[in-house]
Structure formats: C-alpha cells, structure tokens
Amino acid sequence: MKARIYVTLKNGVLDPQGKAIQHALVALGFDGVDDVRQGKFIELELRETDSVKAKANVEEMCKKLLSNPVIENYSIHIE
Amino acid sequence: MKSAVLMFPASNCDRDMVVALTKITGTKPEIIWHNDSTIPDVDLIALPGGFSFGDYLRAGAMAARSPAVKAVIEHANRGGKLIGICNGFQVLTETGLLPGALMRNASLKFICKDALLKVENNQTSFTNAYAKDQLITVPAAHHDGNYFADEKVLGQLEDNDQVIFRYVDDQGRATDTANLNGSRHNIAGIMNRQGNVLGMMPHPERHIEDVQGGTDGLAFFESIINSLNS
C-alpha cells in the first residue's frame, strides 16, 4: 500500500520561501493570493497490507525522521 | 587535549577544523567517518561545517541519524565536550541535544561574510578566554542559519544564560540590521543546560591565523583547553 505524507510548517513559523513564492505570483499577475506556505510531499510504497499497522509505522517514521517536530506538522494518508 | 572530528559525505569544513585543533592543541585530532559506530575516548568531539548528505530532507537531518552521531550523543550524555559549527550546529539541533531548529536565511540568500558577534556569556567551557560582552569577528558561510525556537524555549535559553553568541552591530547592539540571517533574538550560538554541548553558525576555526583575516577564533579553542585543565 501507499502512504502519502504532507509535511507543513507549524503556525507561527516564518516561511520566507512561501513569501518569495507569493511575491513571484503577484509579479506574474496572479492576484488574490493572500498567503503561501511551502511544505513537503513524501510518498512511500509499503509492504504492509494492514492499514492500521501501516499508519502506526509511518507515524513513527514521521516522528523519527520525516518531520522536525520543532517546526513542522505532518499528516498521513494511507491507501 | 584529545579530540575527534566527524566526517560525513559532503562535510567540507572538516579539514579547517583539523588544522585549527592541531595548531591549538598540538595533537592531530582523530577523524571519524559517519559509518563508524565507535568513537575513541576523546575530550572533545567537533561536528564540522558543510552540507552533510547534500542537506537532503532538512539540513543535518541525515547526519543526525548516522551511526557515528549515535556514539556522539552517548559521549555528550556522559558529559563529554561537543561542538557543532555551522552544519554541525544543524546536526545538533536535529539530534535534540540542542533545542530549536535552523531554517532558511530570512533573505533566502547564502550568506558569506564576517559576522560581528557579542560574547554573551563568558562563564562557559567554550568562552572563558573571552571577556564578557567582548565583540569578536568570526566568518559566517551558510544558507540555513536562521535560528528558530518557540517563545517558551527562547525564554529558557535567555533565563539560563544559554545564549552564548549573538549577532550585533559595532556598538554591541542586537539590532534587526545586525541580525545576519533573521535568527530569533539574534542568536548565533547556544549551549545546552549542562554546559558541555555548544552549537554556533559562524566558524571560529576559520579565524585562527592573521593570514585568514583575523584570530578571534583562537580564544574559542583556548577556552576548551582551559576548561579541561581547570
């Protein structure tokens, strides 16, 4: 099965890259973008067939490596 | 003083650190490869600057999980002295030995210039050869040096005098203009609560001889020797 993981910056953590992207969008003539937050998308191919076990395992991966809990949140989608 | 320098794939300041430690201690440090799971008994371990593992995922993230760093954490937990410079600082925050995180510079630009720092606390194993509030010039070269921690952690760092170096102007003021990379509280270097682990973004090992443009980094290493002899 597949795990899709979204890693995003926590609220209150400044995102200078997101700001730069927002400015670039405005410069290209796209208006109406009030804010941009940049994150990461990670896709895993898992051997596990039990989705509950898979999620628990990926949760551990997120805590130990895939995210930095000081600055980032994560969400896991198993399919 | 016996010392060791870790090397990761894409470390690039390891040689500078070896040269500095050899010159100042009179003994060549041991070189530890990231895959080594044991580290010889030394007084000081240094994590050098560079772009370990290509900064993949997050700066320092991969190095922090390497076998050698596992042994480094045990060294630190036994009270052994440990310094992380630049990428080494990033690795230390990723291990959790030091609080906070180092994010992309607020300007988004790679910064390569001499940084003016204030020695905020000279009662440490790493700064006892400096005067309190001394202004020193130390070269900085980094893309991800923007120190972040939440208010609670920042409060603890300040209350416990764990902020060791701050980016300041020539009057010693921690202004926004002097804040090289957008770091919270102008933080350039911090220490753990126990006082045996220090991380900083600028490179003291690059200012140890006149030919390098300055020698303000010498006292950093002399301080460590002093602390071992006292």
Side-chain angles (χ1 to χ4, degrees):
Chain A
M1 53 191 7
K2 215 180 256 280
R4 294 194 161 90
I5 303 154
Y6 296 88
V7 180
T8 51
L9 285 174
K10 285 184 173 173
N11 287 336
V13 177
L14 288 177
D15 181 9
Q17 292 178 98
K19 276 272 169 277
I21 294 166
Q22 185 189 3
H23 293 149
L25 288 173
V26 171
L28 286 170
F30 296 103
D31 48 11
V33 181
D34 288 335
D35 194 20
V36 177
R37 305 282 283 169
Q38 187 191 264
K40 291 188 188 93
F41 172 69
I42 302 167
E43 201 172 64
L44 308 177
E45 287 288 347
L46 302 171
R47 217 174 301 138
E48 180 61 62
T49 50
D50 179 331
S51 66
V52 175
K53 279 187 193 160
K55 184 155 187 185
N57 201 14
V58 174
E59 187 99 30
E60 278 304 299
M61 295 180 202
C62 288
K63 281 183 192 155
K64 284 195 175 152
L65 176 67
L66 300 178
S67 79
N68 179 345
V70 176
I71 48 171
E72 292 168 333
N73 291 322
Y74 58 85
S75 65
I76 300 167
H77 306 265
I78 303 277
E79 346 180 321
Chain B
M1 177 172 86
K2 286 187 290 183
S3 60
V5 176
L6 252 74
M7 250 179 96
F8 304 100
S11 289
N12 63 11
C13 301
D14 42 296
R15 188 177 174 277
D16 295 17
M17 185 60 80
V18 169
V19 169
L21 286 169
T22 306
K23 177 187 162 79
I24 294 155
T25 68
T27 315
K28 199 164 184 272
E30 306 260 357
I31 312 284
I32 313 293
W33 183 234
H34 69 106
N35 262 337
D36 297 343
S37 50
T38 55
I39 292 181
D41 189 24
V42 292
D43 303 306
L44 171 76
I45 297 177
L47 307 186
F51 298 87
S52 58
F53 297 88
D55 277 354
Y56 290 172
L57 194 64
R58 299 176 303 275
M62 300 297 171
R65 277 88 182 165
S66 64
V69 168
K70 214 172 158 193
V72 167
I73 294 169
E74 286 163 13
H75 164 90
N77 287 341
R78 286 194 301 267
K81 300 227 178 338
L82 171 61
I83 56 173
I85 309 296
C86 200
N87 187 226
F89 186 13
Q90 296 161 343
V91 175
L92 289 178
T93 57
E94 279 284 339
T95 61
L97 284 173
L98 291 176
L102 291 145
M103 306 189 60
R104 183 54 46 98
N105 294 339
S107 65
L108 297 176
K109 294 193 173 80
F110 187 93
I111 295 167
C112 184
K113 63 190 289 193
D114 286 347
L116 192 59
L117 307 181
K118 184 167 157 186
V119 180
E120 293 283 349
N121 179 353
N122 73 336
Q123 305 291 309
T124 79
S125 300
F126 310 98
T127 52
N128 56 64
Y130 292 110
K132 168 111 177 81
D133 296 337
Q134 186 177 339
L135 301 190
I136 58 172
T137 303
V138 186
H142 57 252
H143 210 164
D144 296 279
N146 182 351
Y147 183 78
F148 176 86
D150 62 27
E151 289 302 328
K152 188 173 158 223
V153 171
L154 287 169
Q156 288 167 347
L157 289 173
E158 298 288 359
D159 291 348
N160 301 325
D161 293 322
Q162 288 170 256
V163 177
I164 309 302
F165 299 110
R166 237 188 275 269
Y167 302 111
V168 293
D169 66 11
D170 56 10
Q171 303 296 309
R173 294 171 303 201
T175 59
D176 285 346
T177 324
N179 194 6
L180 204 64
N181 47 28
S183 289
R184 301 297 304 273
H185 293 205
N186 287 47
I187 285 173
I190 57 169
M191 189 175 73
N192 66 343
R193 188 78 198 270
Q194 294 74 24
N196 63 318
V197 180
L198 175 134
M200 64 191 293
M201 286 313 295
H203 292 266
E205 80 281 9
R206 287 194 197 171
H207 257 190
I208 55 158
E209 290 182 32
D210 285 327
V211 71
Q212 293 171 311
T215 55
D216 283 353
L218 274 176
F220 176 77
F221 295 98
E222 286 163 1
S223 299
I224 302 173
I225 295 175
N226 291 344
S227 75
L228 291 168
N229 293 338
S230 64

